[in-house]
Amino acid sequence: MRVAIVGVGATPLRSLSTCASFRELVYEAAVRAYEDAGIAPKDVDTFVAVSEDYWEGTAIFDEYVPDQLGAVLKPVHTICADGITALGAAVMQLQTGRFRIAVVEGHAKPSNVLYPSHIEAFALDPVFVRPLGLNPRFVAGLGMRRFLAERDYTELDCARVVAQNRRHALDNPWAAHPAAVEPEDVLASEPLAEPLKELDVAPYADGAVVLVLATEEVARELRDDPVFIRGIGWAQDTPDLGQQDWGRAVYCELAAARAYRMAGIRDPVRELDLAEVDDTFSYKELQHLEALGLARPGDAAAMLKEGFFSRCGQLPVNPSGGNLGAGYLLDASGLRQVAEVVWQLRGEAGACQVPGAEVGLAQSWRGIPTAAGAVAVLAR
Amino acid sequence: MSVHIRDYPGIPLKDRDIGEGRVLTTEWHVKAQYAWDTGAALSRFFRALKEGKIYGRWCPGCDRIVVPPRMFCEWCFRPTVRWVEVCDTGRVNTFSVSYVNWDASRSAVPRVPAVIELDGASPGMGIMHLLGEVGDTLEEILRRVKVGMPVRAVWKPPAERQGAITDILYFAPCRDEGATEPGGCGCGGAVGADRAAPTTSGTDACGCGGGEG
Ligand SMILES: [Zn+2]
């Protein structure tokens, strides 16, 4: 059974969102999504939400999910994973045949978290890693070092990713962190966990994203231009920092293989019209491009430099600005990527529009210290 | 059945084994601290508490007044459209007598958490708070507190209020304990919406009309 996205709603992403509670943010995104889909919450059969208690500051956060989604006294399934994995959960629920319309929700208010690094540190292994007493950004430093060493890439190659994505975001009115940044600015920024520097890191943003999904039959009743989830996959590597494959994003390779197989994609570079790729750290975009088969190992940096992945290049990557330009929404980031791809495939991406886009990909990573990610292939 | 086992095999771990470092332990104090944005609805609610007022919001779809206020109605999903001041009196929906301290020791004087359905709000719109002036022993509390009992808020002195739910110290039994009908609490406070007041049973229950702040 095919499943389509029939409604997309989001709030503008901003560094601060002091005028709205998380409930009010989600309500705004939900109203936009339901209006976009032409439904009311009473039409929704099942809800899937992503949340992480420590980012919210409330234990058992799933209890707070229903009200602002219109999900009171309805089936709600809150999962602790990235947004595209939640999308997969909703797809599976619809494919059971027991539901016609599903909603996926994610939000982030990192501006309300006073010490985000301490939350990430709390995710480190309590016996082996936490006692070392390091700021958890070192995990990205380790990943970047090994990846650059294996590929013979440079910090400048990573800096070009930042410059491209933040410049892409200049055309995205939803983006929180557009900037005309030059690669040299990135190289000159504050070192965090060398070789990782401050501008290599996607800055946080507050915001909410809500998607409405439907089975094919219902989707065609609701609108003329449903965007189908043609393929989806997710995978997770060991959490052991001593044993991950630092040079490759294996989780992404496996998730992509599954999604491509479902979607019948054999040559992604030719068949995809655009991709929203996780760039939470600059080097991750290059690593993920290779894992997705959009560049051969060792080619990604040169292709990026030549403009292959720019918005007017052969395969536009992160035309929205990515997490670097739009802002890092924690686990809602994957849903933002999916929303951007849907807008692209409907021709509603405004100044970010990739002309004639018909097939798009969204790829998420759950951030440090995880090695977990998901891939979705979307098409009209 | 474990209840029949007198001596468990093995060596039990004692407090001092941990204290004296005889077993591997690790300690971590997570700096999980937050500055939550209360947002449009609760900001106004908390600000009003400083003035000794309790605000709800009125939903035009369900014709109900929700307290604590929210900018949307979770039932019909429409935006709530009007601020409504409700009474600081109400009725006990349910209560408990809490004896257990944080360390599981027994409190000398039990505390009495209760759900208070405020006069002027729609039925079922309760807020969580404490009851006070209801006695110090279980017997006394159970004699004096009943489900459905009318109560009134006892506020902190204005200078000490912080715009927090604790600006209300507790709810105490209404002095006139004969007041058993809704609206009979004699609060006489300013309740209801401004201008064309929405007519809800909740608003009228308290029997007082009044202006929005
Ligand atoms: Zn309503």
Side-chain angles (χ1 to χ4, degrees):
Chain A
M1 180 196 296
R2 297 212 301 176
V3 170
I5 296 171
V6 292
V8 177
T11 63
L13 313 180
R14 295 294 178 257
S15 300
L16 297 172
S17 54
T18 49
C19 54
S21 65
F22 82 85
R23 291 180 175 88
E24 291 159 5
L25 279 186
V26 172
Y27 177 70
E28 179 185 336
V31 169
R32 288 176 190 265
Y34 299 154
E35 288 292 312
D36 186 42
I39 63 159
K42 67 175 167 47
D43 303 321
V44 180
D45 302 309
T46 180
F47 296 80
V48 180
V50 279
S51 72
E52 173 61 61
D53 291 358
Y54 271 93
W55 287 125
E56 302 291 345
T58 312
I60 318 177
F61 182 80
D62 48 293
E63 67 175 309
Y64 295 98
V65 167
D67 292 27
Q68 53 278 0
L69 275 177
V72 173
L73 296 177
K74 294 263 191 122
V76 177
H77 178 198
T78 306
I79 62 176
C80 198
D82 85 279
I84 295 180
T85 307
L87 186 74
V91 169
M92 290 192 296
Q93 290 196 22
L94 291 174
Q95 287 179 333
T96 64
R98 304 295 296 238
F99 308 105
R100 290 157 42 91
I101 297 178
V103 159
V104 185
E105 182 266 335
H107 65 272
K109 260 206 178 257
S111 71
N112 288 186
V113 183
L114 296 186
Y115 304 101
S117 291
H118 286 260
I119 303 303
E120 287 174 349
F122 203 52
L124 296 171
D125 185 287
V127 179
F128 286 101
V129 184
R130 236 187 279 157
L132 304 177
L134 291 160
N135 183 305
R137 286 286 147 91
F138 80 88
V139 179
L142 299 176
M144 185 167 173
R145 164 86 60 217
R146 179 76 199 190
F147 179 61
L148 296 191
E150 284 193 15
R151 292 289 182 273
D152 217 9
Y153 292 161
T154 64
E155 293 173 43
L156 178 61
D157 292 325
C158 299
R160 289 196 185 98
V161 173
V162 181
Q164 172 163 298
N165 290 357
R166 296 195 67 169
R167 202 169 277 277
H168 280 170
L170 285 167
D171 291 323
N172 182 354
W174 300 82
H177 303 290
V181 172
E182 300 301 331
E184 302 79 63
D185 302 330
V186 180
L187 294 177
S189 66
E190 200 76 38
L192 293 179
E194 211 273 338
L196 189 80
K197 294 163 293 301
E198 189 174 324
L199 290 190
D200 287 307
V201 182
Y204 291 114
D206 291 1
V209 185
V210 173
L211 304 176
V212 181
L213 277 57
T215 58
E216 178 164 13
E217 188 190 343
V218 176
R220 294 209 187 276
E221 283 169 23
L222 286 171
R223 63 187 311 144
D224 298 332
D225 57 353
V227 170
F228 287 92
I229 300 163
R230 292 280 174 83
I232 190 159
W234 53 94
Q236 188 159 358
D237 204 345
T238 171
D240 196 322
L241 295 183
Q243 283 150 42
Q244 286 176 11
D245 192 332
W246 291 97
R248 291 161 56 203
V250 183
Y251 53 90
C252 181
E253 293 171 14
L254 296 172
R258 192 175 290 257
Y260 288 153
R261 195 162 60 239
M262 269 177 82
I265 299 247
R266 290 199 171 75
D267 183 351
V269 176
R270 283 168 191 274
E271 293 177 66
L272 297 177
D273 297 314
L274 80 145
E276 287 284 326
V277 173
D278 179 89
D279 58 341
T280 304
F281 301 105
S282 58
Y283 78 96
K284 274 285 175 188
E285 176 171 312
L286 298 174
Q287 193 179 52
H288 289 146
L289 285 172
E290 296 182 359
L292 291 165
L294 303 182
R296 275 206 297 271
D299 287 352
M303 289 167 75
L304 186 115
K305 184 183 174 189
E306 288 154 16
F308 192 89
F309 300 120
S310 78
R311 194 185 294 139
C312 40
Q314 279 151 283
L315 177 55
V317 167
N318 290 326
S320 69
N323 290 346
L324 283 161
Y328 181 46
L329 288 180
L330 308 172
D331 288 327
S333 298
L335 297 180
R336 178 198 65 77
Q337 296 172 313
V338 172
E340 299 280 4
V341 173
V342 172
W343 286 326
Q344 288 282 357
L345 301 185
R346 287 190 198 159
E348 295 173 359
C352 296
Q353 185 66 47
V354 174
E358 289 178 359
V359 183
L361 175 145
Q363 177 262 327
S364 60
W365 170 51
R366 197 154 180 249
I368 55 172
T370 79
V375 173
V377 176
L378 309 179
R380 287 284 295 277
Chain B
M1 296 276 284
S2 59
V3 71
H4 298 304
I5 299 174
R6 288 272 172 83
D7 296 308
Y8 286 90
I11 303 164
L13 197 60
K14 299 243 178 6
D15 235 11
R16 66 165 190 275
D17 295 329
I18 295 169
E20 292 170 10
R22 289 190 210 156
V23 293
L24 174 67
T25 59
T26 178
E27 196 173 316
W28 188 267
H29 299 271
V30 61
K31 241 171 134 175
Q33 293 176 26
Y34 308 86
W36 294 292
D37 298 320
T38 45
L42 292 185
S43 296
R44 174 124 186 208
F45 176 76
F46 287 124
R47 204 165 59 231
L49 289 180
K50 264 186 160 171
E51 300 159 17
K53 294 177 177 177
I54 303 174
Y55 275 106
R57 288 280 289 181
W58 177 65
C59 169
C62 304
D63 189 17
R64 64 177 189 140
I65 294 169
V66 295
V67 182
R70 31 218 186 252
M71 302 311 286
F72 55 88
C73 173
E74 77 279 13
W75 287 1
C76 69
F77 219 58
R78 286 166 69 167
T80 55
V81 297
R82 195 171 289 170
W83 291 98
V84 182
E85 190 185 342
V86 301
C87 296
D88 67 352
T89 57
R91 278 163 192 282
V92 174
N93 174 305
T94 183
F95 69 98
S96 179
V97 183
S98 170
Y99 277 102
V100 191
N101 293 326
W102 285 91
D103 59 359
S105 61
R106 309 282 287 177
S107 340
V109 178
R111 304 182 81 202
V112 189
V115 172
I116 315 294
E117 290 190 17
L118 294 171
D119 295 326
S122 294
M125 287 290 108
I127 64 167
M128 259 313 303
H129 221 288
L130 297 164
L131 296 182
E133 301 175 24
V134 291
D136 291 341
T137 65
L138 177 63
E139 295 68 31
E140 207 180 343
I141 292 165
L142 291 182
R143 198 169 60 241
R144 299 186 57 185
V145 181
K146 301 286 180 224
V147 165
M149 181 178 82
V151 290
R152 65 186 160 81
V154 175
W155 296 82
K156 274 186 186 167
E160 292 174 25
R161 292 181 199 150
Q162 297 173 305
I165 195 68
T166 45
D167 288 352
I168 298 173
L169 291 167
Y170 52 82
F171 283 80
C174 279
R175 285 184 201 87
D176 175 10
E177 299 210 4
T180 52
E181 291 306 309
C185 63
C187 72
V191 173
D194 58 333
R195 295 174 290 278
T199 54
T200 75
S201 55
T203 311
D204 293 334
C206 169
C208 28
E212 184 208 23

